[in-house]
Structure formats: C-alpha cells, structure tokens
Amino acid sequence: GPIGKSGVGYRLTGFSAERDGFTDAVLTGKDLGELDRHGVRAQLQWRPSAGARWRAIIDHSAEDEDGPAIVLVDPGVLLEDGSIRPNNFLDRTIRAGHVPQFEPFARRTYIESRNSLKSEQSGISVQGDWSWGAHTLTSISAWRQWDFEPHTDGDLTPLSVQPDIGFSVSHRQVSQEVRLSSAASSQFPYVGGVYLYGQRITGTFVSLYGPDAADFAVPGLTPAALDGFRVKTVGTPEAESYAVFGQGTWRATPRMDITAGLRWTREHKSADIERTSSGG
C-alpha cells in the first residue's frame, strides 16, 4: 500500500516454517530433522516524477535447526565380487565394543555429538529507472551475504571416532548493472549496457578425531596416534566479472522479426587455500 501522500509505496512479505524433529538421537536427547526457518522481505517504490522510479528491496532469512537426521542403512561389508570387505565398518565398530543397529525406519540414531545446521542470508538491491521519450535508462545495484555452518557426527555411532565434521562458509557478493533500452513497441527495439560483479567466499572445514579413531582405522594402533588430531582447511576463492552486452531487433515484416545480440565478458578467479593439522 501507500505511505501517506508521499508518493512512496511499500510491500512487506514474511514466512515461517517450523516442524518438530522426527528422528530420536538417543544419546544426546535431541529430536533431529526439525525445521526452524524464518524470513522477511520489504520493498519500497518511489516515483518522484512521471519519468522516474526508484525501487529498493531488502530481505533477510535464517535457519537454526537440529539435524538433518542421518541413520545407518547398510553396513556395506560386501565387495562387488561378493567377497567380504577387509577391515569393514562392522569389524571396526565391533573391535571398539559397539554393535551398530541398521534400522533406518525405526527413526533412531546413536550419535554421541552434535548434529546441527545454521544459516543466515541477507540482500539489498536498489533499482532506478529514468524514461524520456521512447528510451529508458536503468541502474541496478545489489549486495548479498550468506553464512552457512553445519556440524555433524562423522562416524554416526556412539564411538568417538570423528566427533565433529564442520563447515563455516561466509559468502559476499556485489553487482552493478547499467542498461539503456528502447520501447518494445518501436520499429527497432534495443537494449545495451554493462554489468560488473564481485564475489568473495571464506570457507573453513574442520575435521576432529577422537580416542577411538586410531584403532578404528588400523587394528591395534595406539589411541594417542589420532586422539585430538584436527585438520583445518581454509579457502578464500574470489571472482571478478565484467561484461558489455547489446541486443537489437529489426521488425522486417508484420510477421517476421530479426534479432541479433552480442556479449563480451571478462572474468578472473583466484583462490588461496591453506591446510593445517594439529594434535594426535
């Protein structure tokens, strides 16, 4: 609706999705597989004159959930030729004193550490349109961020083999487009412009091993070999993109249009990746 008599209109949209978990994490007391997501989107539009229009959009959403629920389905002990896989999953768990249960439809899991998912994203865009005669100049500026952090029990058992596998991803992007277009009803409608885009991601992956990891991997290996061993990988990929584009149409006859377009793009990508290990 309108905001008074200012010539500004608004639109507001929201959503919410919630659901209880349906898989019982017996050891942690959590019900996994829940939904807990919420978001809002607001728009403002302003027409300062007959030939000008501004539109701004802001959105934000987030989720914070226990899950998703991962259950054991099959031990996978047989190789393709029917022989028994050496040092298979059952061998490894039984060696540590645990007999895993393969009951996927029982909706139970026996993980001993957290299983969670968090994400958050926001965006802003501003569009301006200026029209004179049969021509329109448009500018669109936009920014977006996304943060994502899942954690899970890496071995899916009560054992402390891989108590935590986790990610932390932070994404940022910015873009700018400027284009000039003619009326679609003209004899030679056209559009042309430039587009700029930049992106940066910081991703961190951490894998932590516990006191049961050593014997789980190699029979008889001392627990101290892998207990507390931690691998951390940090990557920072970046991208920059520039483009010039144009398209025109010739209405040759009332029943035939001929359209030609051209786009030139230059893109540069780079990344720094560092992996470190500690403990064990």
Side-chain angles (χ1 to χ4, degrees):
I3 299 179
K5 298 182 179 180
S6 62
V8 178
Y10 76 93
R11 176 178 292 169
L12 186 64
T13 308
F15 78 89
S16 178
E18 296 185 12
R19 179 188 70 198
D20 289 339
F22 53 87
T23 297
D24 179 20
V26 177
L27 301 182
T28 64
K30 298 278 190 179
D31 288 332
L32 304 181
E34 68 171 1
L35 286 181
D36 189 4
R37 304 171 184 177
H38 313 276
V40 64
R41 185 172 189 255
Q43 301 184 62
L44 287 176
Q45 182 170 273
W46 177 41
R47 294 182 180 270
S49 64
R53 182 183 72 165
W54 289 92
R55 184 187 186 200
I57 304 174
I58 301 175
D59 69 85
H60 177 79
S61 62
E63 59 182 315
D64 186 356
E65 301 167 350
D66 289 323
I70 304 173
V71 296
L72 296 176
V73 176
D74 185 273
V77 300
L78 295 179
L79 295 173
E80 192 172 358
D81 62 3
S83 61
I84 301 296
R85 183 189 305 273
N87 197 27
N88 60 62
F89 184 73
L90 287 179
D91 292 338
R92 295 169 184 241
T93 52
I94 293 174
R95 196 160 61 228
H98 171 65
V99 179
Q101 303 297 311
F102 297 92
E103 302 173 310
F105 297 106
R107 298 192 301 191
R108 288 192 299 268
T109 181
Y110 295 90
I111 60 174
E112 47 84 34
S113 56
R114 64 174 170 167
N115 208 54
S116 62
L117 173 64
K118 294 182 179 180
S119 74
E120 183 176 355
Q121 65 172 316
S122 303
I124 301 173
S125 70
V126 178
Q127 177 174 336
D129 296 290
W130 299 270
S131 300
W132 68 96
H135 306 280
T136 300
L137 180 66
T138 299
S139 170
I140 304 175
S141 306
W143 171 88
R144 178 157 293 278
Q145 66 90 15
W146 177 62
D147 295 305
F148 179 56
E149 186 177 357
H151 289 271
T152 188
D153 185 321
D155 54 84
L156 303 177
T157 71
L159 304 174
S160 186
V161 176
Q162 206 170 16
D164 185 29
I165 295 179
F167 289 90
S168 177
V169 180
S170 176
H171 170 266
R172 302 291 184 270
Q173 72 178 52
V174 62
S175 63
Q176 174 65 49
E177 179 177 349
V178 178
R179 65 175 184 258
L180 181 66
S181 61
S182 64
S185 59
S186 64
Q187 182 65 26
F188 298 96
Y190 70 88
V191 60
V194 297
Y195 182 77
L196 312 175
Y197 173 80
Q199 176 194 55
R200 178 180 176 85
I201 302 173
T202 301
T204 303
F205 170 68
V206 175
S207 183
L208 176 66
Y209 296 85
D212 295 319
D215 187 58
F216 189 86
V218 180
L221 187 62
T222 175
L226 287 177
D227 186 15
F229 182 60
R230 184 172 182 264
V231 180
K232 179 180 180 182
T233 306
V234 180
T236 54
E238 298 182 4
E240 294 179 349
S241 179
Y242 316 90
V244 179
F245 59 91
Q247 177 177 295
T249 299
W250 174 37
R251 304 198 187 283
T253 72
R255 299 182 62 184
M256 183 176 70
D257 293 346
I258 299 175
T259 300
L262 182 68
R263 182 184 181 95
W264 174 88
T265 302
R266 180 178 179 86
E267 187 169 82
H268 177 261
K269 293 185 177 183
S270 63
D272 292 320
I273 301 174
E274 180 182 76
R275 174 172 290 175
T276 58
S277 60
S278 60

